Each structure stands twice: as structure tokens, then as C-alpha cells.
Amino acid sequence: MGAKSKIKMKRILVISDSHGNLSALDRLKGEMEKADYIFHLGDHWYDMKPYLKEYGKKIYTVFGNCDGGGEDYQITIEGVKILLTHGDRYHVKSSLFRVYLKALEISAKLVFFGHTHTPINTEEQGVTLINPGALNNAIKKTYCTVILEDGKITVNHCELE
């Protein structure tokens, strides 16, 4: 009998634009526990500081425009190249074209961005663009979980109750 192949799956928690809403982050502790990676896409990235001791090895952050701006971050997980950015430098409030071009430039298959405070999940010619929304939105506080399994991307946008 042949050996069974091990299915590789990684769970990513994606949050953005917390803007000091620490109570919303506290309510996500269960999701943080389950996640293999936690991405904070800026605008008060330092809201993650209280979680560094417990989850620090799986937290990745980028600076947003309210954090003084900063560089993008690139990571490869299970063979999928990912771009993390806040999105303001690509003018994502008016169009996703610039951030899409950046993904093509670096051969990223997946882009996570914030800034618009609006959940987005769209695919353009092999590039998946995801915005989790915002944890400090007055109407809906949103985040998303993403499963990467054998190169397949499954996105679940969630509303914080």
C-alpha cells in the first residue's frame, strides 16, 4: 500500500483598519487561536501589540496611511505568493487596477489590502484581490478568513457580532 499524501492547509485571519477598536480585536481571539497566520493590513497596526506575546510568530502587519505609511510585505504560503498592503499608495478607493499591476509585477497570486473599509473579494486573470473590510466601521465590523489548500483559495468574509 502506498503512503497517503498529506493535505496541506493553512488558515489565515485577515483584518484591517482597526483604528483603536481593541474590543473588536478581543472578540477575534478565538479566530486568532485557530489561524496559522494573522494579517493586519494597517491603520492602527499597533493595535496588535497586546497579542504579540501569545500570537507573535504568526502576526504580520503593514503600515496604513494613518500609521505614517510604509512598505508592502510579500510572503509565500503553501506555494502561493501573497502581497500585503494597506492599499492607499495604489489608490484602491478609486480603482483596483494599480494594485493588480503590482501583483502582476511581483507574480503574486493573492493580494490582501485595506483602506476602503469595504469587503471585497474579486479575481482578475488569476490574481485574487481581497479586502476584509474594517473592524472600526460604524455599520458593519468585518474581517475575513482565508483557507489555502493545495493552491486553492477559499475566502469567507465575516461580520463581527
Side-chain angles (χ1 to χ4, degrees):
M1 296 199 124
K4 289 184 180 180
S5 65
K6 188 175 183 180
I7 296 176
K8 296 180 179 181
M9 180 194 81
K10 296 296 180 189
R11 182 181 180 90
I12 305 169
L13 171 64
V14 187
I15 53 182
S16 187
D17 297 279
S18 53
H19 292 280
N21 192 341
L22 300 180
S23 67
L25 285 169
D26 277 344
R27 294 188 311 216
L28 284 176
K29 282 187 82 170
E31 292 292 339
M32 289 183 202
E33 186 67 36
K34 291 188 284 187
D36 296 300
Y37 297 87
I38 302 167
F39 297 159
H40 190 294
L41 305 174
D43 279 355
H44 291 222
W45 69 269
Y46 46 83
D47 291 345
M48 295 304 295
K49 283 186 177 182
Y51 307 99
L52 289 176
K53 185 175 182 182
E54 192 168 357
Y55 307 114
K57 291 182 180 180
K58 55 184 174 178
I59 295 175
Y60 296 81
T61 63
V62 293
F63 288 15
N65 56 298
C66 293
D67 302 319
E71 298 298 317
D72 300 335
Y73 189 80
Q74 298 173 34
I75 186 172
T76 301
I77 301 172
E78 296 300 326
V80 177
K81 188 165 188 180
I82 302 169
L83 171 66
L84 307 178
T85 185
H86 184 62
D88 56 309
R89 66 191 325 180
Y90 301 104
H91 308 285
V92 294
K93 285 187 178 180
S94 60
S95 168
L96 299 182
F97 186 68
R98 287 183 186 101
V99 76
Y100 167 72
L101 287 179
K102 179 64 178 179
L104 292 180
E105 176 186 315
I106 64 168
S107 301
K109 183 176 178 178
L110 185 54
V111 176
F112 292 112
F113 67 98
H115 192 55
T116 68
H117 294 211
T118 304
I120 295 170
N121 177 12
T122 189
E123 190 265 333
E124 184 65 42
Q125 297 184 3
V127 177
T128 302
L129 302 152
I130 299 171
N131 186 322
L135 282 182
N136 198 35
N137 193 318
I139 299 168
K140 288 184 182 179
K141 293 168 181 36
T142 60
Y143 63 97
C144 73
T145 58
V146 176
I147 304 293
L148 295 180
E149 187 171 9
D150 293 330
K152 184 179 179 208
I153 302 165
T154 305
V155 180
N156 183 28
H157 275 93
C158 307
E159 185 175 342
L160 194 60
E161 299 293 324

PDB file of all heavy atoms in Angstrom, residues 16-28:
ATOM      1  N   SER A  16      -8.207  44.544   9.052  1.00  0.00           N
ATOM      2  CA  SER A  16      -7.690  45.838   8.619  1.00  0.00           C
ATOM      3  C   SER A  16      -8.457  46.954   9.303  1.00  0.00           C
ATOM      4  O   SER A  16      -9.577  46.767   9.781  1.00  0.00           O
ATOM      5  CB  SER A  16      -7.826  45.976   7.093  1.00  0.00           C
ATOM      6  OG  SER A  16      -7.178  47.144   6.640  1.00  0.00           O
ATOM      7  N   ASP A  17      -7.821  48.093   9.327  1.00  0.00           N
ATOM      8  CA  ASP A  17      -8.481  49.334   9.763  1.00  0.00           C
ATOM      9  C   ASP A  17      -9.179  49.175  11.114  1.00  0.00           C
ATOM     10  O   ASP A  17     -10.353  49.482  11.257  1.00  0.00           O
ATOM     11  CB  ASP A  17      -9.446  49.804   8.674  1.00  0.00           C
ATOM     12  CG  ASP A  17      -8.705  50.156   7.392  1.00  0.00           C
ATOM     13  OD1 ASP A  17      -8.171  51.277   7.332  1.00  0.00           O
ATOM     14  OD2 ASP A  17      -8.628  49.305   6.485  1.00  0.00           O
ATOM     15  N   SER A  18      -8.417  48.717  12.097  1.00  0.00           N
ATOM     16  CA  SER A  18      -8.986  48.577  13.447  1.00  0.00           C
ATOM     17  C   SER A  18      -9.129  49.929  14.127  1.00  0.00           C
ATOM     18  O   SER A  18     -10.006  50.099  14.976  1.00  0.00           O
ATOM     19  CB  SER A  18      -8.134  47.628  14.299  1.00  0.00           C
ATOM     20  OG  SER A  18      -6.777  48.007  14.298  1.00  0.00           O
ATOM     21  N   HIS A  19      -8.313  50.898  13.795  1.00  0.00           N
ATOM     22  CA  HIS A  19      -8.424  52.272  14.289  1.00  0.00           C
ATOM     23  C   HIS A  19      -8.683  52.346  15.794  1.00  0.00           C
ATOM     24  O   HIS A  19      -9.523  53.114  16.257  1.00  0.00           O
ATOM     25  CB  HIS A  19      -9.517  53.044  13.531  1.00  0.00           C
ATOM     26  CG  HIS A  19      -9.183  53.311  12.109  1.00  0.00           C
ATOM     27  ND1 HIS A  19      -8.359  54.335  11.709  1.00  0.00           N
ATOM     28  CD2 HIS A  19      -9.556  52.671  10.969  1.00  0.00           C
ATOM     29  CE1 HIS A  19      -8.247  54.330  10.392  1.00  0.00           C
ATOM     30  NE2 HIS A  19      -8.967  53.319   9.918  1.00  0.00           N
ATOM     31  N   GLY A  20      -7.981  51.512  16.554  1.00  0.00           N
ATOM     32  CA  GLY A  20      -8.095  51.570  18.012  1.00  0.00           C
ATOM     33  C   GLY A  20      -9.234  50.773  18.613  1.00  0.00           C
ATOM     34  O   GLY A  20      -9.446  50.818  19.830  1.00  0.00           O
ATOM     35  N   ASN A  21      -9.974  50.037  17.813  1.00  0.00           N
ATOM     36  CA  ASN A  21     -11.100  49.254  18.334  1.00  0.00           C
ATOM     37  C   ASN A  21     -10.581  47.943  18.938  1.00  0.00           C
ATOM     38  O   ASN A  21     -10.686  46.874  18.348  1.00  0.00           O
ATOM     39  CB  ASN A  21     -12.125  48.981  17.229  1.00  0.00           C
ATOM     40  CG  ASN A  21     -13.422  48.427  17.795  1.00  0.00           C
ATOM     41  OD1 ASN A  21     -13.467  47.917  18.915  1.00  0.00           O
ATOM     42  ND2 ASN A  21     -14.482  48.524  17.017  1.00  0.00           N
ATOM     43  N   LEU A  22     -10.034  48.052  20.146  1.00  0.00           N
ATOM     44  CA  LEU A  22      -9.437  46.899  20.812  1.00  0.00           C
ATOM     45  C   LEU A  22     -10.481  45.878  21.240  1.00  0.00           C
ATOM     46  O   LEU A  22     -10.192  44.680  21.296  1.00  0.00           O
ATOM     47  CB  LEU A  22      -8.606  47.357  22.004  1.00  0.00           C
ATOM     48  CG  LEU A  22      -7.438  48.298  21.668  1.00  0.00           C
ATOM     49  CD1 LEU A  22      -6.682  48.687  22.928  1.00  0.00           C
ATOM     50  CD2 LEU A  22      -6.509  47.694  20.637  1.00  0.00           C
ATOM     51  N   SER A  23     -11.692  46.321  21.515  1.00  0.00           N
ATOM     52  CA  SER A  23     -12.729  45.361  21.911  1.00  0.00           C
ATOM     53  C   SER A  23     -13.092  44.447  20.738  1.00  0.00           C
ATOM     54  O   SER A  23     -13.360  43.265  20.932  1.00  0.00           O
ATOM     55  CB  SER A  23     -13.971  46.069  22.457  1.00  0.00           C
ATOM     56  OG  SER A  23     -14.622  46.809  21.447  1.00  0.00           O
ATOM     57  N   ALA A  24     -13.074  44.976  19.523  1.00  0.00           N
ATOM     58  CA  ALA A  24     -13.338  44.132  18.353  1.00  0.00           C
ATOM     59  C   ALA A  24     -12.232  43.091  18.202  1.00  0.00           C
ATOM     60  O   ALA A  24     -12.505  41.916  17.940  1.00  0.00           O
ATOM     61  CB  ALA A  24     -13.442  44.990  17.092  1.00  0.00           C
ATOM     62  N   LEU A  25     -10.994  43.501  18.405  1.00  0.00           N
ATOM     63  CA  LEU A  25      -9.887  42.552  18.323  1.00  0.00           C
ATOM     64  C   LEU A  25      -9.996  41.484  19.407  1.00  0.00           C
ATOM     65  O   LEU A  25      -9.756  40.308  19.151  1.00  0.00           O
ATOM     66  CB  LEU A  25      -8.551  43.285  18.422  1.00  0.00           C
ATOM     67  CG  LEU A  25      -8.135  44.039  17.166  1.00  0.00           C
ATOM     68  CD1 LEU A  25      -6.946  44.941  17.452  1.00  0.00           C
ATOM     69  CD2 LEU A  25      -7.824  43.089  16.035  1.00  0.00           C
ATOM     70  N   ASP A  26     -10.380  41.882  20.600  1.00  0.00           N
ATOM     71  CA  ASP A  26     -10.561  40.904  21.688  1.00  0.00           C
ATOM     72  C   ASP A  26     -11.596  39.851  21.326  1.00  0.00           C
ATOM     73  O   ASP A  26     -11.451  38.686  21.670  1.00  0.00           O
ATOM     74  CB  ASP A  26     -10.970  41.601  22.987  1.00  0.00           C
ATOM     75  CG  ASP A  26      -9.776  42.158  23.746  1.00  0.00           C
ATOM     76  OD1 ASP A  26      -8.634  41.756  23.448  1.00  0.00           O
ATOM     77  OD2 ASP A  26      -9.982  43.002  24.630  1.00  0.00           O
ATOM     78  N   ARG A  27     -12.632  40.262  20.620  1.00  0.00           N
ATOM     79  CA  ARG A  27     -13.677  39.307  20.227  1.00  0.00           C
ATOM     80  C   ARG A  27     -13.203  38.362  19.118  1.00  0.00           C
ATOM     81  O   ARG A  27     -13.880  37.374  18.824  1.00  0.00           O
ATOM     82  CB  ARG A  27     -14.945  40.045  19.811  1.00  0.00           C
ATOM     83  CG  ARG A  27     -15.570  40.775  21.006  1.00  0.00           C
ATOM     84  CD  ARG A  27     -16.904  41.359  20.695  1.00  0.00           C
ATOM     85  NE  ARG A  27     -16.900  42.122  19.461  1.00  0.00           N
ATOM     86  CZ  ARG A  27     -17.585  43.229  19.247  1.00  0.00           C
ATOM     87  NH1 ARG A  27     -18.385  43.691  20.172  1.00  0.00           N
ATOM     88  NH2 ARG A  27     -17.527  43.849  18.100  1.00  0.00           N
ATOM     89  N   LEU A  28     -12.049  38.652  18.535  1.00  0.00           N
ATOM     90  CA  LEU A  28     -11.494  37.787  17.497  1.00  0.00           C
ATOM     91  C   LEU A  28     -10.433  36.818  18.037  1.00  0.00           C
ATOM     92  O   LEU A  28      -9.796  36.110  17.263  1.00  0.00           O
ATOM     93  CB  LEU A  28     -10.870  38.630  16.382  1.00  0.00           C
ATOM     94  CG  LEU A  28     -11.851  39.298  15.430  1.00  0.00           C
ATOM     95  CD1 LEU A  28     -11.107  40.186  14.439  1.00  0.00           C
ATOM     96  CD2 LEU A  28     -12.673  38.258  14.692  1.00  0.00           C
TER      97      LEU A  28
END
